[in-house]
Amino acid sequence: MRRIVSRPDRGEPMRVTVKAMQVLLVLVERRGTVVARSTLLERVWPDTMPTDDVVTQAIAQLRKAFGDDRESPRYIETIAKAGYRLIAEVQWQTEPDGSDSAAIDGEPATPAAAPPPAVLEGGTDDMAEPAARVPRAIAAAWPTLVLAAVLLLAIVLAFSKRSPVDAAPLAGDTEPQRVVAPIVYRAITSTPGLERLPALSPDGATVAFAQAGSEGEGSTLMLQEVAQASARSLTTPEAGHSDVMPVWSRDGTRIAFVRVTPRDCRIMIVASSGGEAREAGRCLRQAYSMFDWTPDGRGIVMGGLRSAEDASAPLQRLDLANGRWQPLAYGIADGDVDLMPRYSPDGRWLAFRRNISLADLWLMPAGGGTPRRLTNLRGDIRGWDWLPDGSGLVFSHVTSEAGLYVYRLADGSIDPLPTLSTGNAVHPDLAAGAWSMVFEIDQSRSGLFRVRIDGEAPEPAREPLFESSGVDMLPAISPDGRTLAFISDRTMAVQLWLGQVGRADTLRAIEGLRPVPRHLPVWSADGRTLLVLGKTGDGDRVFEVDAGSGRVRRLAVPDANPVFAAYTGDPDRLLVGVDGGQGRIRLVLYARVDWREIASIDDVAVARYDATGDRVFFTRPSKVGLWRADPGLREATQVSEVDPAPQHYRHWGVFGGRPFYNGPGGGCATSWRPLLESDAAGACVSRDGVAIAGSPSVDGTATWLYLGLPMAQNIDIGWAALPVGLRSLR
């Protein structure tokens, strides 16, 4: 939550404190009625003993932000000896977004001490990177995770009283959003470090979660009552093992989970009362992702990678009796990747997330058949679950930030589910028999660093760059190694910044551009311009920025859904990744004169041009490895079958004709090593923090590696009762 108040009569917005914003949200929730001071103390300062003047101070700050007068109020009215009343009209707004992931997508994986053979989950990098709060908090998930997200909640209080209007819809939703009463949640874990992927028992009384070990140790499954109480260990993995991703059986007697080592991955089951875990089967192709029990309790359904021979990656069922995997029988098109399956509470339906970063939710009968598309987001869905009565879904979606939303099956509408607390609510999990949920509260941060890679140090020192209290990420160094372009929210707004390395006084923001913080800015060969994906009222578009003057020019790329762009060796040709509408990216070579399509390659995650070899390298969204194509995109050849894995599809770069990898591996969360040179020495850049958004940048002399890294990692578990209004959606 950004906590910024903007007024039409004042140019500069004012930021209020967390507690002042929480007070405001309680007043918004009860607009037009008097809210007692005791109620505000109970709601905003629970389980504490504050002095009575904290409410007075919060109200005073809100009045200052709104330019309100206590004697002649237009916003907050003081009712003597009773409390306060909000008298202004209120409109909830979400920020429209057409990008596939306006913050940064992420993917579940495992701690650095035990990186999994492969992990495919949530977004493209759903747990491996920080759940980014772009603006304001980029979180580092687990060391082998990639990036992730937070709630953008804009409250617009009319400058003068006027009639309320419909809120702006979530990207892809054509129906007006209705206001759902904000939920109040509390953190039920508060220890330093990472508590991940909580799962709530069917009766809503107990939560299971994975707790990362300290100093490189693996993670352990924990059980805790839904309260701020002590957690107890459910599993005791051996050294070098990590237990992750717990899922309760429907009767609450068993918990299935994934146990991983650097070279192995197994599905395990343990009694919820404790005891020895037993193996149910090996992970499919040594990969794992979010899964669910079948309604009869005899199987596990999970999505996964597709092999070189497969045209698609359907959901598969693990038979717990014999440990064998079998694809489900249903309609799936070539190139589709299905993940995050969850059966409805009555067992009649199976919903799932289709595709990686450009994802949507789909629904089909539990027995198979033809799925139908529920949402049209083409974005980063960071976890979801069914409402207990099966009338809808609650999901986390990353636009400019990550937010919780409710989808109604009855009419297909999507409404925001705002919270009255701070932190990034992602990966929601609901109790099947109770109207409550748990989720991750991601409050991690990150910054910019550079590391020397021209030496032989196995763990070279990191040098911080352009320090700020905001989130700096996606650094791209100019060809001459002098100027760094990056994306930051240091002014409380996401902007593109340019500055000379080592000279903070040269920093300047580029006005007139709202960048999509997903891929690196791309420099032209002469260092004069940059390609940046930016947000507009009609979706994401490709912009070209003049580095000298700061002028911004929108390029007339004909495709309505660009995802990334890159220069080629020919100034009259441009490479653009475009979304074909089904969540799959096509790499297109355009002629800039008339924007004619010259050639294309399907099924591409991200592509980068190699000026030294005059060729194009790219990764695929559901296959391990790296591919190379000629500049005309006529022929494509796989050149690496080992890295990058799909969940680390951005963790690589090219310099001097040499592709290199900077994802997790060998007990290191962020490594650096040449991809095609098996005997080449590498380095460990960060042992416990995964590179933010993956994408690295190297200067022209191959001396410095530039990247974003987490600075403080903290993920807790939150719990909340669902608003009563959600119980009558049918």
Side-chain angles (χ1 to χ4, degrees), residues 667-725:
C668 180
T670 298
S671 60
W672 177 87
R673 60 179 171 80
L675 261 176
L676 308 183
E677 305 165 34
S678 58
D679 58 345
C684 183
V685 175
S686 175
R687 190 159 294 281
D688 56 2
V690 175
I692 304 305
S695 305
S697 180
V698 175
D699 66 356
T701 62
T703 302
W704 295 98
L705 173 73
Y706 294 81
L707 70 173
L709 290 170
M711 297 175 62
Q713 301 184 64
N714 184 41
I715 299 177
D716 293 321
I717 305 301
W719 175 93
L722 291 169
V724 175

Side-chain angles (χ1 to χ4, degrees), residues 491 493-498 508-515 543-546 549-553:
T491 58
V494 177
Q495 290 181 289
L496 174 69
W497 288 77
L498 297 177
R508 58 192 173 98
I510 302 300
E511 302 296 335
L513 172 68
R514 192 155 62 100
F543 291 85
E544 191 168 48
V545 179
D546 186 285
S549 66
R551 287 194 298 268
V552 177
R553 181 168 66 98

Side-chain angles (χ1 to χ4, degrees), residues 138-149:
I138 287 197
W142 289 357
T144 59
L145 313 182
V146 190
L147 191 210

Side-chain angles (χ1 to χ4, degrees), residues 19-66:
K19 294 302 183 183
M21 179 58 77
Q22 292 175 344
V23 167
L24 174 60
L25 290 173
V26 175
L27 295 177
V28 167
E29 180 186 355
R30 301 189 181 184
R31 180 193 166 275
T33 62
V34 179
V35 181
R37 294 174 66 90
S38 60
T39 299
L40 291 172
L41 286 169
E42 180 181 351
R43 292 284 297 277
V44 180
W45 288 270
D47 305 319
T48 63
M49 300 178 64
T51 58
D52 193 54
D53 63 350
V54 294
V55 175
T56 303
Q57 294 171 3
I59 294 293
Q61 186 179 94
L62 291 173
R63 285 193 170 126
K64 180 179 179 181
F66 296 136

Side-chain angles (χ1 to χ4, degrees), residues 482-499:
R482 297 179 58 191
T483 304
L484 194 68
F486 61 96
I487 295 175
S488 173
D489 73 336
R490 57 178 58 208
T491 58
M492 293 185 290
V494 177
Q495 290 181 289
L496 174 69
W497 288 77
L498 297 177

Side-chain angles (χ1 to χ4, degrees), residues 394-423:
V394 171
F395 66 93
S396 178
H397 178 253
V398 179
T399 55
S400 288
E401 298 180 353
L404 293 177
Y405 296 85
V406 58
Y407 174 90
R408 292 172 166 84
L409 286 172
D411 58 9
S413 62
I414 296 176
D415 295 324
L417 191 59
T419 65
L420 282 182
S421 306
T422 59

